[in-house]
Amino acid sequence: GLLLYAELDARLDSVGAGDAVGAAILESVRSLPPIERIVIGVAAVLAPAPAPARLLADVIASLRAAPDLAVADALDGLRRHGFVSGDDDRWQVHPIVVEAAAALGPPPVPPARIGAAAATVLIDRLADAEAHAAETSLLVRHAEALAARPELTGTGLAEGLRRPVARHHDRGGD
């Protein structure tokens, strides 16, 4: 299974390597360009699951943080560091990287702004779920996770996320 950063740090400490490895991870995340830290920030407000590349690009575009090409380059850069896995369609930032980034403090864009942008994009996408049928289950999973964090979205957007999630489950979705 996946280890939380704190669990990995404790295991590495027990063999005398924790400080060096933990420091290396933190320093690597700290040295990332802002767009790569923003991608990690988006992953931090979503479910710990792969995210459609289009979702990541649309959220970041709505933040006016970067064009699509910069997001694709950022994902490639994060992959080179071993911080994400995926392909052109779906990406997942490794949970240990999300935790390390959180330990460094807020991302270049405030988490509440990222959460509101992600909620808005998810609501729009789920309103036309038929157009996104192949990704609907993933979108619902991210919407559920974000709806559970109204401190990032506000109650209005959290409720807006719950409606398409409920429709999905009422239709017999997974």
Side-chain angles (χ1 to χ4, degrees):
L2 295 175
L3 287 177
L4 295 176
Y5 176 72
E7 292 170 346
L8 177 62
D9 194 41
R11 283 187 182 183
L12 293 171
D13 278 344
S14 71
V15 295
D19 290 341
V21 173
I25 293 169
L26 286 171
E27 192 54 41
S28 293
V29 172
R30 179 179 289 127
S31 69
L32 294 173
I35 184 61
E36 293 179 16
R37 296 259 332 262
I38 293 169
V39 170
I40 295 169
V42 173
V45 304
L46 299 174
R54 185 80 249 150
L55 172 64
L56 296 171
D58 288 351
V59 170
I60 292 169
S62 75
L63 294 168
R64 300 194 187 345
D68 286 355
L69 183 58
V71 174
D73 288 345
L75 288 165
D76 284 340
L78 289 167
R79 180 179 18 207
R80 281 191 301 277
H81 279 87
F83 291 165
V84 299
S85 56
D87 55 34
D88 290 338
D89 296 327
R90 293 182 179 170
W91 293 89
Q92 182 169 2
V93 177
H94 298 296
I96 192 170
V97 175
V98 172
E99 287 187 51
L104 294 173
V109 175
R113 189 166 163 229
I114 294 171
T120 301
V121 171
L122 283 163
I123 290 166
D124 289 347
R125 288 213 161 185
L126 289 169
D128 190 13
E130 289 178 20
H132 307 286
E135 11 178 91
T136 297
S137 292
L138 271 179
L139 296 175
V140 166
R141 189 168 174 192
H142 292 300
E144 285 176 316
L146 192 51
R149 299 180 68 192
E151 73 278 7
L152 294 177
T153 62
T155 53
L157 286 172
E159 283 303 314
L161 288 165
R162 287 184 188 102
R163 283 189 288 278
V165 167
R167 273 194 313 274
H168 175 76
H169 290 301
D170 287 347
R171 289 185 196 137
D174 45 17

